[in-house]
Amino acid sequence: MNYKKLGNTDLDVSTICLGTMTWGEQNTQEEGFQQMDYALDHGVNFWDTAEIYSIPMREETYGETERIIGNWFQKTKKRDKVVIATKVCGNTSNKYIRGGGYNFGKKKISEALEESLKRLKTDYIDLYQLHWPERNTNFFGKHGYEHDENDNDWTPFEEILESLKRFIEQGKIRYIGLSNETAWGLSKFLEISKLKDLPKMMSVQNPYNLLNRTYEVGLAEISVREKSGLLAYSPLAFGYLTGKYRNNNLPEKSRMKLFKDFTRYKNENGQKAIEEYYKLSQKFNIDFTQMSLKFCEIQPFMTSVIIGATTIEQLKTNIESVNVSLTSEILNEINKIQKMFPNPCP
C-alpha cells in the first residue's frame, strides 16, 4: 500500500480509501465487516462514510453505514488502527435530517456531530467534512455556475470554522475537509482560516475519474499549493470504468441494475469515451479497473482514491491497483482520448 500525508498534518493515510456507502443497502453488516477486515489487513487505514449513508438516501437507512462501522469498532477494538472520515449534510429537503434546510449553523452542526459520534461508537472523528455546500453551486451533471442573487442566507464560512474549531478543542474531531466544493469555496475557507487563525481545510472530496477531470481546471493548483488534497470519489464512474456495463450489459445486483435513476454516466459521449479507454486497457494488457484507479492515484493533487466495492473480489482488484504502473505511453494515450471526449460526464 502507498501512503500520503493528509494535508499538512503528520497523519499518514493510504492512497486507497475504503468507501462505505453501499453498506446498509447493497451490502449487509456482515459483508461490511468482511470488507473492513480485508481492507485493514491489506494496508487500507483510511475509511470514508457520511451521516446520510447508505445510498440511495432513504429515511429507513439514514445513518446505517455509520452504525455498521461503529459496530465493527465495538466488536474488534481496532478504532485506533483506522483514520475515519465522515460528513455532515449541507442543505437538504429531507425533513428527517434535523428538519431539513441548512445544517452548518451552530446548533445543527453540533447535533450532527454528536449523532455521528454515537453511531460510530467513538469519541473522536479524524476527518470531519462538509458534505455539499449550503449555497447553490456545483450540482451533479453541470459544467457551469449559475448565480442566484437571492441565494445569500447560508451560514457564513467564519461561523462554520468557529464551530469546527470548538469541536477540535473539545477533542471530538481532529481535522476538517470539504466535499463537492468549488475553487471559490475552498479558497475562501483557506483565506478565512489564515486571516482569523481558524482550522484549515485539509482535503476536498469531489468526483474525479477518466470521464470527469474537471477538478484539474481550478482546484488542482489550490490543492497542490495549499496542501489541501483531493479525496476522489466515483473513480470508477459508478462501475462504468470497470467495463462491466459495456454492450448494454447490466449484471445482477449491480448499481445500474438496481438504481436506474443513476444516469450520470449514461450519455452518448461518455459511452464512447468508456469504449476508447477500455480498448486502451486491452491494447496494453492492463486491467481496466486498475488502469482507471491508478490514473487517479498518481495525480499530484491527489491524497487518496475512494473505492467502493460490493464484493470482496472487487475490493481485492481495487486495492491491488496500487501495484500497477502506467507508462508515459499509456498516459499519453489517455490524454488523447480526453481531448477527443473532454469531461463528458461532469
Side-chain angles (χ1 to χ4, degrees):
M1 182 51 59
N2 301 319
Y3 299 89
K4 285 188 175 181
K5 298 295 183 185
L6 177 67
N8 60 359
T9 75
D10 291 329
L11 191 61
D12 291 312
V13 295
S14 50
T15 56
I16 294 293
C17 176
L18 181 63
T20 64
M21 75 176 194
T22 60
W23 304 351
E25 183 68 50
Q26 288 176 261
N27 288 105
T28 64
Q29 173 170 287
E30 180 182 2
E31 290 168 337
F33 278 21
Q34 291 171 350
Q35 288 194 33
M36 287 183 273
D37 289 337
Y38 186 91
L40 192 61
D41 286 347
H42 289 80
V44 177
N45 72 340
F46 191 23
W47 303 354
D48 178 74
T49 189
E51 65 166 323
I52 65 170
Y53 292 171
S54 54
I55 297 294
M57 290 175 63
R58 294 190 296 123
E59 184 173 2
E60 296 80 4
T61 56
Y62 167 72
E64 186 60 23
T65 305
E66 286 186 330
R67 277 187 283 271
I68 289 172
I69 296 170
N71 290 341
W72 186 89
F73 285 155
Q74 185 177 54
K75 176 186 176 183
T76 64
K77 312 302 182 189
K78 293 182 178 179
R79 170 65 185 92
D80 62 330
K81 306 295 184 184
V82 176
V83 177
I84 189 71
T86 193
K87 314 179 199 74
V88 51
C89 181
N91 188 7
T92 179
S93 60
N94 293 303
K95 300 297 183 183
Y96 61 84
I97 303 178
R98 292 173 294 280
Y102 297 147
N103 280 281
F104 297 161
K106 294 178 183 178
K107 182 175 185 295
K108 285 192 176 182
I109 199 170
S110 296
E111 292 173 357
L113 175 60
E114 294 300 331
E115 290 163 1
S116 285
L117 288 168
K118 183 176 180 180
R119 286 189 293 264
L120 288 166
K121 293 183 171 63
T122 184
D123 54 6
Y124 71 99
I125 290 164
D126 296 288
L127 180 65
Y128 199 52
Q129 304 158 101
L130 307 182
H131 199 178
W132 290 99
E134 289 181 328
R135 65 191 195 280
N136 284 320
T137 189
N138 205 24
F139 289 109
F140 288 139
K142 285 175 57 178
H143 278 293
Y145 166 67
E146 298 175 7
H147 187 64
D148 181 357
E149 290 289 348
N150 297 315
D151 179 36
N152 54 19
D153 59 345
W154 30 274
T155 311
F157 288 2
E158 185 174 344
E159 180 181 323
I160 297 171
L161 289 170
E162 287 171 347
S163 293
L164 295 171
K165 180 180 182 180
R166 185 172 68 255
F167 301 151
I168 291 171
E169 291 171 345
Q170 293 169 345
K172 294 179 179 179
I173 61 175
R174 298 178 68 189
Y175 304 110
I176 59 174
L178 297 167
S179 181
N180 297 301
E181 189 51 273
T182 64
W184 181 84
L186 174 58
S187 63
K188 290 302 290 184
F189 270 112
L190 293 172
E191 176 188 2
I192 293 168
S193 294
K194 291 175 183 177
L195 288 174
K196 303 291 184 177
D197 192 27
L198 291 167
K200 175 192 173 184
M201 293 298 177
M202 296 297 178
S203 59
V204 185
Q205 184 176 150
N206 277 21
Y208 184 81
N209 55 54
L210 290 172
L211 304 177
N212 179 3
R213 293 170 57 177
T214 54
Y215 196 91
E216 298 173 11
V217 177
L219 277 158
E221 182 179 8
I222 305 175
S223 280
V224 173
R225 292 187 184 277
E226 300 289 344
K227 293 185 169 56
S228 295
L230 173 61
L231 308 180
Y233 76 78
S234 202
L236 295 176
F238 291 176
Y240 278 102
L241 292 172
T242 69
K244 67 182 179 182
Y245 297 126
R246 293 179 62 250
N247 302 317
N248 297 313
N249 189 34
L250 285 176
E252 290 298 320
K253 297 184 179 180
S254 67
R255 188 182 307 181
M256 301 314 299
K257 177 76 169 181
L258 294 171
F259 312 118
K260 294 181 172 58
D261 291 338
F262 287 12
T263 59
R264 191 173 180 184
Y265 297 102
K266 283 186 176 180
N267 68 56
E268 183 179 355
N269 278 350
Q271 296 304 305
K272 290 178 180 178
I274 290 165
E275 194 61 24
E276 292 299 318
Y277 288 123
Y278 175 77
K279 288 190 288 189
L280 178 63
S281 71
Q282 297 301 293
K283 175 182 175 180
F284 287 94
N285 193 30
I286 184 172
D287 183 272
F288 188 25
T289 297
Q290 294 180 342
M291 182 186 82
S292 301
L293 292 174
K294 191 66 179 184
F295 175 79
C296 297
E297 187 199 4
I298 62 177
Q299 299 306 315
F301 50 83
M302 190 70 61
T303 296
S304 190
V305 180
I306 304 172
I307 53 96
T310 52
T311 69
I312 290 295
E313 291 74 21
Q314 291 172 344
L315 185 61
K316 182 176 186 290
T317 298
N318 292 347
I319 291 174
E320 289 179 353
S321 68
V322 298
N323 300 318
V324 168
S325 295
L326 299 185
T327 65
S328 59
E329 186 178 4
I330 295 174
L331 293 174
N332 287 336
E333 293 291 325
I334 285 174
N335 287 328
K336 286 180 183 178
I337 298 170
Q338 161 73 353
K339 288 180 180 179
M340 291 170 56
F341 303 103
N343 300 320
C345 305

